[in-house]
Each structure stands twice: as structure tokens, then as C-alpha cells.
């Protein structure tokens, strides 16, 4: 993806000019979203186990539903991670006098405020907040709120897919990468290592990476979090069908599917599916495709992997990172892990640079 494919957006609003001057937004998705969706849905709905990638949950309505999920008492993820952050924000932010806080999949920016509150109390000089999310409406709204809360804070919003557009992130300053909410759990094991390796590539020896990890816990607690009694998660799950209907001119009927979420103990992951409650034939006009779905057949819409300390250590180690500090709640339900680039990875990079420099010298000589 070339950097000139990101378009700078004009921010128009009723906010004061001084706040708006501190917001910059670029959109890297305007050209690619529709094609990516076409390719992904074609691949997913013609696979043996049908699936639709979970990043397509987050249109404006889906993002609002996720915010509602975050407030549910059963969805312990958000309030547990927030409680860890409140206890550890000072320790996390110390020794970060200036630079970029880069949050990936930032959503409604609920959690970053805990860090920014502390940063402001410590009178940290020059912090810029860089927020990366696929959901443009949510990102712009959240950034406007931040500049009104924090005087002098500069923010950069990047509407982008963090699995594809990492090159769009500015890398010239000290950095803390942030990936809250255990969104890493929505990747397969392989994808999560590719993703972490990609971030490690962009980290310098002093940069840090704050990673939220949801831990394995009793099945009943996990399953209740994804089967909340008010049915918000069910609405969130079915909204992915509305996204496909709208964007690809399809005729999924949400009432023909039931929300299913269960803990797959063999894989330590919650799986969310949409199960057809009758035989269904769906036309997807923009793909020129008709998909036949049998009664009780499912479309997998999300995996949400849960971690143990050992599996987390193995994952970060394979990605060339190391655990610097490990923060957790008293029950050990969620972990906030501070990562740095591993020494062996830094050495390898150092050696590679030296070899390249020697080669260049030889060619010149
Ligand atoms: N970090 C927040 C939100 C988590 S929800 C929290 O901890 O509460 C996941 C967020 O990631 C959503 O805001 C969604 O829009 C975003 N997201 C999902 N897949 C993405 C992708 N591939 N690239 C960029 N953002 C993505
Ligand atoms: C964003 N992600 C980490 C959430 C999760 O728990 O896997 C998304 C979600 N799905 C259902 N509820 C919340």
C-alpha cells in the first residue's frame, strides 16, 4: 500500500478553531474497503466452514453496539482492563516525556483517557495521540472529544486496517504502541504473530508496546460475556449481515439466523457464529453469487482467543518481543503486558545493518 493512497480529511465541525487545528485525519480505506470486503466475503462464504472476518462488524451501528457491550456487567473485559489501567497508568507513563502514543483499534477511546489524565497531571511536555481504526465515524468523534478535554494535545487519526497499513504510522518520535481490549485474540495464532512481528519491526530499543490480553477463565464466565441476557452481543453479531447486505447488495435476513457463542476449550477461544434456523439461499448481487446455507449450518463471525501466561510468552517471543512488565487484576482475569523489542532481535537488526554498510562500502571502494 503506497502512502499516497491515504487521503487527508477536512474536519468540519462546530468545535472551536483552536481544537480543530490540533486534529489531523487521514483515510487509507476509502479506496480499498469495498474491494477488500468483496474478496473476503467471496472467500469466506465459499469456504467449507463459512466465515466473515470480524473486522466487518464495525460500521457506525456496529461500533455503537460494541460500546454498549463494553458497558455490560457480563462483559468483564472492559471494566477489568480499565481497573488495571487505573492502578498502573502512572507506572506506565513515567519516563515518557515526549513522543507518540499510538493506539491500534482505538474504538471510542475510553481507555486512553486513563493514560492521558495521568500524562496531563504529570505535565508531560509533548505528547501526540495517534489513533488507528477502521471505523471512521467513531474515530473522528472520539478525537474531537479528546482535543476538547485535553488542552494542547495534538491528535492524528488514521482510518486504516492495522493488518495492512502499518506503514502509514509516523515513526519519527518515541513511541508507545497500544493494543487494548484483547483485540489480538480476534486473530488466529499465526495472524497474531505476523501482526506482532510487524509492530516489532517499527519499534526502536526504547519504544514500548502495551498489549491487553484476556486470560483463560471458567467457561461459564466466558460464555456469559458473549451471551449477555439483554442480547446486545446477538445484535452486534447479526449486524455483520446488514453490513454485507448494504455494501454488497445482498439479501441476508437476520431473523433466519441465531446468535451462537461458545467456548472451544480445545483451542481456548470463544467462537461466535450465526446459525441458520432454516435452509437459506442468499443472493449477493455485487459478487454475482448465490450462497446456499443449510439449516443448522453456521457462518463463523469471530474467534476471541484467551491466553495463559505461557501461551502469551511464547507468542511474543516468536514475534521478537519480550515482556518488560506484566500487570493484572487480583483475579487474574485480564493482563496488560508491557513489551519491548527483544535483545536478540535488536542484535540481529544491528548485525544486518553492519553487513549492509560493509557491503555498500565495498561496492564504493
Ligand atoms: N480498543 C477498544 C475497542 C476494541 S473493539 C477497547 O479496548 O475497548 C475493536 C476495535 O478495533 C474497533 O474499534 C474496530 O473498529 C477496530 N478494528 C477491528 N479490526 C480492525 C482492523 N483490521 N484495522 C483497524 N481497526 C480494526
Ligand atoms: C474487540 N474484541 C476483542 C471483542 C472480543 O471480546 O473478542 C469483540 C466482541 N465480540 C463480542 N463481544 C465483544
Amino acid at each position: 500500500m503506497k502512502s499516497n493512497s491515504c487521503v487527508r480529511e477536512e474536519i468540519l465541525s462546530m468545535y472551536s478553531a483552536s481544537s480543530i487545528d490540533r486534529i489531523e485525519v487521514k483515510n487509507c480505506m476509502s479506496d480499498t474497503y469495498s474491494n477488500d470486503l468483496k474478496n473476503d466475503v467471496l472467500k469466506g462464504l465459499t469456504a467449507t466452514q463459512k466465515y466473515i472476518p470480524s473486522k466487518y462488524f464495525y460500521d457506525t451501528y456496529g461500533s455503537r453496539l460494541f460500546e454498549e457491550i463494553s458497558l455490560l456487567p457480563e462483559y468483564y473485559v472492559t471494566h477489568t482492563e480499565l481497573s488495571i489501567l487505573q492502578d498502573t497508568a502512572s507506572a506506565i507513563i513515567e519516563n515518557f516525556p515526549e513522543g507518540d502514543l499510538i493506539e491500534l483499534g482505538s474504538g471510542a477511546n475510553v481507555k486512553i483517557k486513563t493514560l492521558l489524565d495521568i500524562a496531563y497531571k504529570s505535565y508531560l511536555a509533548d505528547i501526540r495521540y495517534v489513533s488507528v481504526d477502521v471505523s471512521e465515524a467513531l474515530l473522528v468523534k472520539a478525537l474531537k472529544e479528546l482535543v476538547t478535554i485535553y488542552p494542547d494535545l495534538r491528535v492524528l487519526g488514521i482510518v486504516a486496517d492495522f493488518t495492512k497499513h502499518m506503514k502509514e504510522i509516523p515513526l519519527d518520535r518515541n513511541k508507545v504502541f497500544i493494543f487494548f481490549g484483547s483485540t489480538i485474540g480476534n486473530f488466529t495464532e499465526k495472524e497474531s504473530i505476523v501482526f506482532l512481528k510487524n509492530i516489532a519491526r517499527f519499534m526502536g530499543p526504547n519504544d514500548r508496546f502495551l498489549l491487553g490480553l484476556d486470560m483463560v477463565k471458567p467457561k461459564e464466565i466466558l460464555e456469559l460475556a458473549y451471551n449477555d441476557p439483554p442480547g446486545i452481543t446477538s445484535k452486534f453479531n447479526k449486524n455483520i449481515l446488514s453490513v454485507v447486505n448494504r455494501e454488497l447488495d445482498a439479501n441476508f435476513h437476520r431473523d433466519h439466523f441465531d446468535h451462537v457463542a461458545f467456548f472451544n476449550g480445545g483451542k481456548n477461544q470463544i467462537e461466535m457464529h450465526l446459525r441458520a434456523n432454516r435452509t437459506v439461499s442468499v443472493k449477493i448481487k455485487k459478487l454475482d453469487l448465490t450462497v446456499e446455507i443449510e439449516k443448522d449450518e453456521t457462518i463463523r463471525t469471530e474467534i476471541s482467543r484467551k491466553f495463559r501466561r505461557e501461551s502469551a510468552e511464547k507468542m511474543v517471543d516468536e514475534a521478537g518481543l519480550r515482556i518488560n512488565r506484566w500487570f493484572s487484576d487480583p483475579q487474574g482475569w485480564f493482563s496488560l503486558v508491557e513489551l519491548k523489542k527483544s535483545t536478540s532481535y535488536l542484535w540481529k537488526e544491528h548485525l544486518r545493518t553492519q553487513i549492509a554498510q560493509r557491503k555498500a562500502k565495498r561496492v564504493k571502494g
Side-chain angles (χ1 to χ4, degrees), residues 58 66 69 75 181-183 186 226 233 236 272 302 304:
Y58 301 95
F66 180 76
I69 292 175
Y75 192 69
S182 201
T183 302
N186 299 138
Y226 293 81
T233 309
F236 175 71
M272 281 209 322
E302 186 175 68
S304 192

Side-chain angles (χ1 to χ4, degrees), residues 218-279:
K219 184 181 159 100
E220 305 73 53
I221 297 168
L222 285 166
E223 291 191 339
L224 186 61
Y226 293 81
N227 290 285
D228 58 282
I232 314 291
T233 309
S234 165
K235 277 192 197 163
F236 175 71
N237 195 4
K238 289 185 183 183
N239 180 54
I240 211 163
L241 299 179
S242 310
V243 171
V244 176
N245 282 351
R246 185 182 62 235
E247 300 293 330
L248 300 183
D249 204 354
N251 64 348
F252 275 107
H253 203 301
R254 47 189 296 133
D255 294 343
H256 295 175
F257 292 87
D258 297 323
H259 163 74
V260 179
F262 60 89
F263 184 59
N264 178 337
K267 294 189 171 172
N268 278 334
Q269 64 191 25
I270 285 281
E271 292 187 15
M272 281 209 322
H273 293 248
L274 288 165
R275 185 172 55 213
N277 51 32
R278 64 198 74 189
T279 300

Side-chain angles (χ1 to χ4, degrees), residues 67 71 81-82 85-90 93 101 103 106-122 124 127 129 131 138-139 141-150 153 155 178 180 210:
E67 279 185 68
L71 299 174
E81 189 176 26
L82 262 175
L85 252 180
Q86 274 149 8
D87 289 346
T88 54
S90 308
I93 210 77
L101 294 175
E103 185 175 0
S106 41
N109 288 347
V110 177
K111 294 166 189 168
I112 197 69
K113 286 186 209 153
T114 315
L115 282 184
L116 290 173
D117 283 349
I118 294 289
Y120 267 72
K121 272 190 203 137
S122 321
L124 296 181
I127 287 198
Y129 173 60
S131 162
L138 186 66
L139 182 133
K141 182 171 160 251
L143 292 184
K144 282 179 179 171
E145 190 202 348
L146 288 185
V147 289
T148 56
I149 301 178
Y150 303 103
L153 178 71
V155 298
I178 300 167
F180 286 139
L210 265 188

